[in-house]
Amino acid sequence: MIKVAGIPALNAAETIGPVIRRARLYVDFVIVVDDGSIDETASVSFQAGAIVVKHKNNLGYGAALRSVFLAAKKIGAEVLVIIDSDGQHNPDEIPTVLKPVVSRTADISIGSRFLNNDRKVPIYRVFGIKLLNLATVFLGANVSDSQSGFRAYSKAAINQVRPSINGMAAGSEILIRASYAGLQIAEVPISCTYDSNSSSQNSILHGLSVLRALFIYSISDHENESNELLDNSQKL
Ligand SMILES: Nc1nc2c(ncn2[C@@H]2O[C@H](COP(=O)(O)OP(=O)(O)O)[C@@H](O)[C@H]2O)c(=O)[nH]1
Ligand SMILES: [Mg+2]
């Protein structure tokens, strides 16, 4: 079974090296999508042993995920685990997150920050995440951590649920699409650390932009979507 890790990254040169090196212990290939970074993210990633896909400009987290999915498909990934570039996730938990997908009990496995008792999520974030969970549930996917970046996908999920949203709301969009496609979603407990460098944006603005994108997604017409997605991906 070909296992691949994918890391969407923006200006992560200081943190991504150890994430890649540790992730390589658990997967066959690591793909980094450097989304228009202005630092050494690409060269640090290459030196750490990753396959590097570069976007000329910053297109957003969802666009980077789309490129991860495309690259994973090209190299024949049978399972794909996505992990953040900023060191907030523990790569030693990759086997835990992969397990439901590897054992074929689910097509998507979410590493949830809300399933263990010693969670360290700051309280204002808990509020925001719960609100975004509600929006995601409302649109069809009922999970405890709709905003987690630490997830695993089966081959069916890689092929069927490529996101159309370019920004952070792509995480929710994938779950909504997966639910509609009848894919099974599982959640497993993960740890997650927080420090002053753990966020690239103000969390209130981040939350509001996700809500806004989900609202626009919910009222937009999803007919001919697969064609649009193909067009988008060719532009990358
Ligand atoms: N490719 C890409 N990755 C991004 C972008 N913004 C954030 N990320 C990555 O997505 C992950 C989560 O972003 P972060 O800002 O840390 O979110 P938070 O931890 O939920 O506040 C990190 O690994 C970032 O490097 C972006 O515009 N493009
Ligand atoms: Mg972060």
Side-chain angles (χ1 to χ4, degrees), residues 84 86 88 198-199:
D84 279 1
D86 56 9
Q88 277 190 273
S198 58
S199 292

Side-chain angles (χ1 to χ4, degrees), residues 154-168:
S154 69
K155 200 168 185 171
I158 297 168
N159 289 333
Q160 287 179 47
V161 294
R162 214 160 290 156
S164 66
I165 295 175
N166 282 344
M168 283 288 180

Side-chain angles (χ1 to χ4, degrees), residues 78-112:
E78 290 167 284
V79 292
L80 169 67
V81 60
I82 306 291
I83 186 166
D84 279 1
S85 61
D86 56 9
Q88 277 190 273
H89 300 140
N90 177 358
D92 292 334
E93 292 176 338
I94 285 176
T96 312
V97 176
L98 275 176
K99 196 168 176 216
V101 175
V102 169
S103 65
R104 299 190 196 281
T105 50
D107 285 294
I108 299 184
S109 165
I110 303 176
S112 169

